[in-house]
Amino acid sequence: MVTSHKKRFFFLLTFLLLSFGVFAQSLKVGAAKRIITPNPLIPVSGGIGAPNPVTEKRGDLFARALVLENGNTRIAIVSVDNLGWTSVLGNKSRALIKGILPENVIIAATHTHSAPDAYGFPDETGTSYADLKHLDWCVIQIADAVNEAIKNLEPASLKIAMDEAKGKIAYNYYAPELYDPRCGVIQAIATSGKKKGQKIATLVNYAIHPEVLGSDRGILSPDLCGPLYDRIESKGGGMAIFLNGAQGGMVTADTRREESKEANTWEECIRIGELLGDESLRIIENAPILVNPSIYCVAKNLEIPIESDIMRYILKNSPLNYTFKKENNVETQVNLINIGPAQILTIPGEALPNIGYYLKRKMPTKYPFLFGLANDAFGYILTKEDFNSFKRYEYISRTSLGEMTADAYINHALELIKESPKP
Ligand SMILES: [Zn+2]
């Protein structure tokens, strides 16, 4: 009888404490990373076609995980140094992650063009050259990074800022001025224990193609993301994590030199990566500290028709074995996340910058973040007006799911914004 009374008392006490939010309401953040560089090196891919052999590496490829928790909501933001990371692989990692709902795990690719083929691009004969064993190993490394970030969760405050990144970083290869110079930054700072006051992590959100080196120079590399991580970490920013934005058609690294020459060297990766790192730290430096910001996360699946012959061929013949709920339709996860005053939308591919501007304008926040190539990366996302229009857009129209992709995605995103609380 005594035990039962005691049990009841503790149950009541726990219930009351939880109701008053004594245990529940405090922000915690954890970060962890894993190297995913293949050893020995394997060929790298910058898109459709057989991967190119490499003889050296510049920097390591990483999976980087940031976990945030407040109350009953826990989310993971994961960035993978690769061209694109499909949900076929992402879901295998989600199944190995303990303590976060699969739909609250966002896995995005940085879009480096110098990493192994993670799509299993089939050639004309249907043969793929992707190293499936390596990809399975990456899947485990990604899950390990998230699981370690969960273990590392500690009380934290945040700083959030967004401003123009200055200097020669990105431009639009198709039309130089048509790109978004805004760089969003989220920084987590430890609020207790031995590391009190130290940075746990710095998240950088900026639209750019990390293709300074590209896939045909015999080099495996995170491209400009490597020097970006190193710069932020060496300046005490905690673990650096990069999330790309709406960088399609064709927002790329500004490697331009005189007489229409380009600097496609590792030194140029260092110049741009370090400059973006410095700009991110400048942008976040004087942001106010946010004590205990709330976290909201919702995921909703989006169906997109596959109209493109090339995309259909890749999806049907890839050894990754994509599954289709409906014939000629892909289904993908889109997330909306509020972190304090910021809102984040994920994009399952490479949206053109005009789409990025439109969505940011529709998000009810001063801090609109777009995580491109997130949860899936189904090629370019361009509006029906842009589709098959300029000669310049031939390539990106061909490597898009189809004419209605942007409409489907934008309407879905606007619904998510409308259904969600304002940040
Ligand atoms: Zn691209």
Side-chain angles (χ1 to χ4, degrees), residues 166-170 254-257 268 271-272 275:
K166 302 246 165 63
K168 201 173 153 66
I169 303 175
D254 193 350
T255 58
R256 289 173 295 177
R257 293 292 186 271
E268 185 69 348
R271 184 192 69 77
I272 297 175
L275 180 53

Side-chain angles (χ1 to χ4, degrees), residues 111 113 209 247 350 380:
H111 205 50
H113 282 48
H209 262 73
Q247 39 56 276
E350 302 178 61
Y380 293 99

Side-chain angles (χ1 to χ4, degrees), residues 273-353:
E274 290 188 346
L275 180 53
L276 183 55
D278 288 344
E279 281 298 284
S280 303
L281 293 173
R282 175 188 65 76
I283 287 166
I284 200 67
E285 191 173 4
N286 295 319
I289 300 246
L290 305 164
V291 178
N292 198 24
S294 61
I295 295 173
Y296 168 85
C297 178
V298 67
K300 204 173 166 185
N301 280 6
L302 163 69
E303 277 182 30
I304 309 174
I306 315 167
E307 297 173 62
S308 152
D309 292 336
I310 293 177
M311 298 296 277
R312 190 178 298 123
Y313 183 80
I314 293 168
L315 291 166
K316 295 229 158 131
N317 292 289
S318 160
L320 293 186
N321 294 323
Y322 289 84
T323 50
F324 303 91
K325 268 198 192 159
K326 267 193 217 160
E327 184 73 7
N328 288 327
N329 261 280
V330 290
E331 194 176 347
T332 184
Q333 173 180 325
V334 179
N335 284 86
L336 181 145
I337 302 159
N338 291 333
I339 301 178
Q343 187 163 82
I344 300 165
L345 265 174
T346 66
I347 308 175
E350 302 178 61
L352 264 63

Side-chain angles (χ1 to χ4, degrees), residues 162-202:
M162 186 170 289
D163 201 355
E164 221 173 274
K166 302 246 165 63
K168 201 173 153 66
I169 303 175
Y171 81 116
N172 190 325
Y173 180 74
Y174 292 166
E177 303 298 321
L178 303 191
Y179 74 102
D180 185 350
R182 281 171 290 179
C183 177
V185 187
I186 301 175
Q187 195 167 61
I189 303 130
T191 54
S192 67
K194 268 190 283 180
K195 292 191 282 178
K196 188 177 173 179
Q198 285 179 28
K199 316 287 191 306
I200 297 168
T202 300

